[in-house]
Amino acid sequence: MDEIEKGFETLEQKIAQLQEDEKALTGKLKENDAKLLKKMAASSVTVVKIVGLNMLKKGKQDTKGEMYDPMYYPQKMIILGKSELAAFRPDNPAMPVTDQFCVLSEDGEFFELMYSFDGFLTDSYLNPLDAKKALELYGYDVMYMLYRAMRDYLTDEKKLVDALEIVVGYVFAKKP
């Protein structure tokens, strides 16, 4: 066997070993995906407090489609995913769901935010979810969107700090 064949055989062995390792690690990750999502949520709390939205709890709609007398949830939230609509809300089976989102609150808790609209009143229900249930209902999109929100926040903060450094440098520059 010449050197090229030996080298090629070694490459094949290393590739096979990497594929086995990948399968093992992927399996371990899937077994612990809810644990990972829960840790990601806990790590994201400070960012959610800054970039989160005040989500509508209840509001009335006039004949032109404009909202008035809106009420908002007290904690800020970020939207992580959207899924197939449930037939009805758990708090009131008579209320059909018109919009449904997976959200993360500034407390690090996952919720399913369900909206209902009866032609005049937009009303919502905040259904608590654990990380495992969030993954079951909304898939890995919630994990990706949480990662993406953190990454985007970091990128924006870096740009802001860079711009501030330039301005401060200009303001305090010594005149020649």
Side-chain angles (χ1 to χ4, degrees):
M1 186 180 281
D2 69 351
E3 292 296 315
I4 294 174
E5 288 175 333
K6 284 181 186 177
F8 195 74
E9 196 172 283
T10 302
L11 283 173
E12 286 178 320
Q13 291 170 354
K14 287 183 179 185
I15 289 170
Q17 183 61 48
L18 283 174
Q19 288 174 337
E20 285 179 32
D21 293 348
E22 180 184 338
K23 285 179 186 174
L25 291 170
T26 300
K28 191 168 188 166
L29 178 59
K30 283 185 178 185
E31 290 172 13
N32 294 288
D33 56 1
K35 186 176 181 180
L36 172 61
L37 183 59
K38 189 174 179 178
K39 285 185 90 163
M40 289 173 68
S43 299
S44 303
V45 166
T46 55
V47 172
V48 175
K49 287 180 183 179
I50 296 167
V51 302
L53 304 171
N54 292 102
M55 301 299 286
L56 181 70
K57 182 175 186 176
K58 189 182 287 191
K60 299 173 186 169
Q61 193 171 18
D62 65 18
T63 55
K64 295 179 183 176
E66 301 291 325
M67 293 291 267
Y68 66 97
D69 291 337
M71 293 174 50
Y72 297 94
Y73 286 101
Q75 71 269 27
K76 289 185 175 184
M77 300 176 210
I78 59 172
I79 298 173
L80 299 177
K82 188 171 178 151
S83 77
E84 297 284 326
L85 298 177
F88 57 88
R89 290 186 1 198
D91 65 325
N92 185 349
M95 308 238 351
V97 177
T98 56
D99 265 321
Q100 180 175 330
F101 306 96
C102 180
V103 296
L104 176 65
S105 75
E106 66 183 40
D107 301 328
E109 300 295 324
F110 293 99
F111 293 94
E112 193 167 37
L113 182 56
M114 300 172 152
Y115 285 103
S116 298
F117 180 65
D118 65 6
F120 172 69
L121 181 68
T122 297
D123 187 34
S124 69
Y125 174 66
L126 204 55
N127 188 25
L129 298 174
D130 61 17
K132 186 157 191 69
K133 192 68 172 175
L135 286 168
E136 286 173 15
L137 294 172
Y138 293 89
Y140 285 111
D141 287 355
V142 293
M143 196 177 285
Y144 173 74
M145 291 303 290
L146 183 53
Y147 164 79
R148 186 67 193 255
M150 291 292 286
R151 195 188 110 225
D152 289 352
Y153 178 76
L154 173 66
T155 301
D156 292 345
E157 283 297 295
K158 176 79 172 108
K159 287 178 185 176
L160 176 62
V161 169
D162 290 347
L164 288 171
E165 285 176 345
I166 291 169
V167 171
V168 168
Y170 177 75
V171 169
F172 295 105
K174 294 183 182 179
K175 293 183 181 178

